[in-house]
Amino acid sequence: MEDNDIVDLYLRRDEAAIRYTAEKFGVRLRALAHSIVGDRQTAEECENDTYWEAWRAIPPHEPRQYLFAFLARITRHLALNRCRDQSRLKRRALICELSAELEQCIPAPDDLQCRMDELALRESLNGFLHTLSPEKRNIFLRRYWYLDSIADIARRFSLSESKVKTTLFRCRGQLRTYFEKEGHIL
Amino acid sequence: MRGTELLDKMDLADPAYVEAADSPPKHHRPSWVRWGALAACLCLAVTGLFLGPMGTAQAPAPTDLQGEGLGPAYEDMEAYGFRLSGDDANWYFPISFEERVRYGLVPSDAVGLTEENTYQITRDDLGARMGTVAYCGDETLVGCEVYHFARYPDQDAICIVDTPAGYAFYTCTWLSVEVEVGGLSDIVLSAYDLPGSLEQLEVLTPDLQPLFTVDDNAAADILALLSGKVNIGLEANERRFAQAWYDAYGDRRVYYSEEAGVCVYTDIALSDTAHALWTEGERVLRITTAPGYQLVIDYFPSISTFQCGDGYYELRPEEVEALNALLRIS
């Protein structure tokens, strides 16, 4: 079934929407959750919760063009929240590690509320992503959107781990420079 | 903005880029992979979801979905860890309530942390200096002095940080140990200085309910069985779960998906049956060492492996039999 048709089912409040969503995207969503939370049971819970959140979010949202990305964003959010649970110290360390890497992209990190509004940050981030080659962009997003390990990224793209690390290092530097040139204060 | 917030804000990336990044690279794509086949496999998923066999579908996690963003509401929950000077691997985190109980900082029957039962740290509680905060997401902590807790002078797992806001307890419950696929479990055991620094070995249920504590002799035997084992990696471990299903039911309704990198069901209603099969006899071993670290091992007799950190280690049949006897698994 096409994404458009699935979204129509949501808009009609037809519960078959969830069935078709699970059929089409279930495995990918569970894999995403698993890569973040690190265990199967919790990943399944995140997947199931994603369907219910989608049910609540459509309408008003109508993600006709990018339904998977819409669902994956929910799954990512749920999985990150699970990782921040006090009992998941090991996964919290993963978040700390990724946060530390991304902090290198921020010209002047501080504890204040984000100074750039979300719209400007969205434009800036996507402007930066647009400057990257498709391969670099995919590597960057696999690391910081899908939270893949370096080893997994290396396997996925048939690259050495050192090549992945180097690419990410340069991307972080480029993002920092991009933010600075744009005059953004994050 | 901090790195952790930027990590969250990465979800503002254009959905087209996000989807492109999830497309299998062309040179890796197996020719037989067809999402249509997966669709057919999962055709009964919804029935299962609405019947709620997982017990989660009926109780979605509270999430703010108003407006355009997903509205993360966990900023207040965020607690930054730190790394101690001279130690690039391990993280200390703010002490949890359970850890306060463990260290006797709140009454054992306390049901929560209140102003009245919060332990007030004084200068007298400061033991020997451990170092300084070398890295922390909260930069105000960087450079702060870190001390042993005088009540537990030999324990490295709990410390007191002299923060700008006052003294605060931090703990490092587990050690960060990486073992490559093909590496030995001895790397983990030696990082925890086991068996030399063994204090206690507890056997728990999969949901961490204590069953019993083993005596010293049995603990030594258990550690001997766990040593020298090879990390077979996640994929091989997942394939064992799939094989266990095949051996029990003779079909591939539960199988290893190369696309997902984990076992998947053709029908999510099989989840309970599969988990019952896989977790039969499962035990969690919680090993506490003299410095206060805790090594947690998840043992799956159903597939003759144990998970420890990010590693998955294989046991021989006679070792499974011996371990089952020591762990009182019938």
Side-chain angles (χ1 to χ4, degrees):
Chain A
M1 178 176 276
E2 295 297 317
D3 291 2
N4 210 30
D5 298 328
I6 295 175
V7 172
D8 280 337
L9 290 175
Y10 277 105
L11 295 175
R12 290 203 299 269
R13 312 311 290 160
D14 184 340
E15 293 177 354
I18 295 183
R19 184 176 81 226
Y20 287 114
T21 303
E23 286 176 6
K24 190 166 185 178
F25 301 115
V27 171
R28 292 165 77 189
L29 295 173
R30 199 180 316 152
L32 167 62
H34 189 274
S35 72
I36 299 173
V37 299
D39 77 85
R40 186 172 36 247
Q41 187 90 39
T42 310
E44 288 171 3
E45 291 169 8
C46 289
E47 179 199 348
N48 289 343
D49 289 350
T50 298
Y51 300 138
W52 285 96
E53 296 296 355
W55 180 255
R56 289 168 48 186
I58 311 173
H61 293 278
E62 290 188 34
R64 293 180 183 277
Q65 282 190 301
Y66 297 107
L67 181 56
F68 171 71
F70 178 83
L71 297 166
R73 187 179 176 209
I74 297 173
T75 304
R76 181 180 189 269
H77 175 76
L78 291 168
L80 279 172
N81 272 356
R82 297 291 182 101
C83 287
R84 288 183 164 102
D85 187 299
Q86 287 283 337
S87 63
R88 294 178 180 278
L89 294 179
K90 190 168 187 63
R91 307 310 295 183
R92 276 171 54 194
L94 169 72
I95 294 178
C96 280
E97 179 185 341
L98 289 165
S99 299
E101 289 179 18
L102 276 179
E103 199 149 298
Q104 297 165 10
C105 306
I106 302 172
D110 60 29
D111 279 330
L112 299 177
Q113 193 75 17
C114 177
R115 297 179 192 172
M116 191 195 294
D117 67 51
E118 199 159 281
L119 183 61
L121 181 57
R122 183 196 303 270
E123 286 181 358
S124 194
L125 178 62
N126 288 308
F128 160 72
L129 291 173
H130 185 67
T131 65
L132 298 178
S133 67
E135 184 181 70
K136 284 183 180 172
R137 184 163 58 231
N138 288 340
I139 290 172
F140 186 83
L141 288 173
R142 290 306 315 182
R143 180 64 173 161
Y144 301 117
W145 205 100
Y146 290 94
L147 280 60
D148 284 355
S149 68
I150 301 289
D152 285 345
I153 296 171
R155 274 195 295 274
R156 184 182 188 91
F157 295 99
S158 296
L159 300 169
S160 67
E161 291 192 24
S162 60
K163 167 74 175 171
V164 172
K165 286 178 185 172
T166 305
T167 301
L168 289 170
F169 177 77
R170 288 180 180 154
C171 284
R172 290 196 298 268
Q174 287 172 322
L175 179 55
R176 182 190 175 98
T177 305
Y178 191 89
F179 281 145
E180 286 172 344
K181 279 185 178 173
E182 293 278 303
H184 292 311
I185 301 172
L186 295 183
Chain B
M1 179 184 273
R2 312 296 314 201
T4 184
E5 193 176 357
L6 185 55
L7 183 66
D8 289 331
K9 296 296 183 189
M10 289 302 296
D11 69 7
L12 296 172
D14 190 318
Y17 293 149
V18 173
E19 293 215 354
D22 199 47
S23 301
K26 285 175 185 168
H27 52 283
H28 274 172
R29 188 173 195 166
S31 60
W32 50 268
V33 170
R34 295 284 183 276
W35 284 109
L38 292 173
C41 291
L42 290 167
C43 63
L44 296 176
V46 154
T47 310
L49 282 173
F50 279 108
L51 291 174
M54 302 298 292
T56 55
Q58 294 158 331
T63 305
D64 176 13
L65 276 165
Q66 295 174 354
E68 188 65 25
L70 291 172
Y74 46 70
E75 282 83 354
D76 291 342
M77 294 166 55
E78 180 61 68
Y80 291 113
F82 76 82
R83 281 179 173 163
L84 190 62
S85 52
D87 181 353
D88 291 334
N90 300 308
W91 288 89
Y92 282 81
F93 290 104
I95 193 167
S96 68
F97 178 75
E98 289 74 17
E99 287 166 334
R100 284 180 186 274
V101 175
R102 176 185 164 199
Y103 287 105
L105 299 174
V106 293
S108 57
D109 58 351
V111 293
L113 196 62
T114 65
E115 198 172 333
E116 291 73 31
N117 68 17
T118 299
Y119 186 92
Q120 300 300 318
I121 307 170
T122 67
R123 181 169 287 276
D124 292 339
D125 291 314
L126 303 184
R129 181 177 176 276
M130 294 173 70
T132 59
V133 174
Y135 172 79
C136 182
D138 176 359
E139 286 190 352
T140 62
L141 285 191
V142 175
C144 288
E145 298 286 336
V146 182
Y147 299 91
H148 279 285
F149 181 21
R151 190 189 292 183
Y152 301 99
D154 299 326
Q155 296 226 353
D156 296 328
I158 183 168
C159 65
I160 296 173
V161 182
D162 187 3
T163 78
Y167 297 125
F169 284 117
Y170 279 72
T171 59
C172 174
T173 306
W174 45 267
L175 300 174
S176 297
V177 187
E178 300 242 345
V179 181
E180 300 283 329
V181 174
L184 293 179
S185 56
D186 297 17
I187 295 171
V188 180
L189 297 178
S190 64
Y192 282 83
D193 193 21
L194 289 168
S197 69
L198 174 73
E199 281 284 299
Q200 180 176 263
L201 195 159
E202 300 165 274
V203 180
L204 303 96
T205 63
D207 57 353
L208 306 182
Q209 298 304 310
L211 289 173
F212 59 93
T213 301
V214 301
D215 62 41
D216 289 348
N217 289 335
D221 290 343
I222 290 169
L223 289 173
L225 285 167
L226 299 179
S227 66
K229 300 300 170 286
V230 175
N231 177 12
I232 59 174
L234 172 64
E235 178 178 337
N237 196 64
E238 287 291 315
R239 286 187 185 281
R240 281 172 167 261
F241 281 124
Q243 187 62 42
W245 175 273
Y246 183 80
D247 292 343
Y249 296 101
D251 60 52
R252 298 289 185 194
R253 287 180 296 161
V254 177
Y255 63 100
Y256 176 76
S257 163
E258 292 194 14
E259 197 69 32
V262 292
C263 280
V264 298
Y265 317 109
T266 56
D267 174 356
I268 204 164
L270 296 171
S271 171
D272 285 352
T273 311
H275 279 287
L277 173 71
W278 295 335
T279 59
E280 186 175 7
E282 180 188 355
R283 294 288 184 273
V284 173
L285 312 184
R286 185 163 62 198
I287 303 168
T288 305
T289 67
Y293 301 125
Q294 288 191 327
L295 173 62
V296 175
I297 292 174
D298 208 349
Y299 169 52
F300 291 91
S302 62
I303 58 167
S304 306
T305 65
F306 63 90
Q307 181 182 355
C308 178
D310 288 335
Y312 304 84
Y313 302 89
E314 184 178 26
L315 292 159
R316 292 194 298 271
E318 62 272 23
E319 292 168 333
V320 171
E321 191 177 340
L323 200 50
N324 286 354
L326 289 164
L327 300 177
R328 306 176 196 173
I329 301 169
S330 58

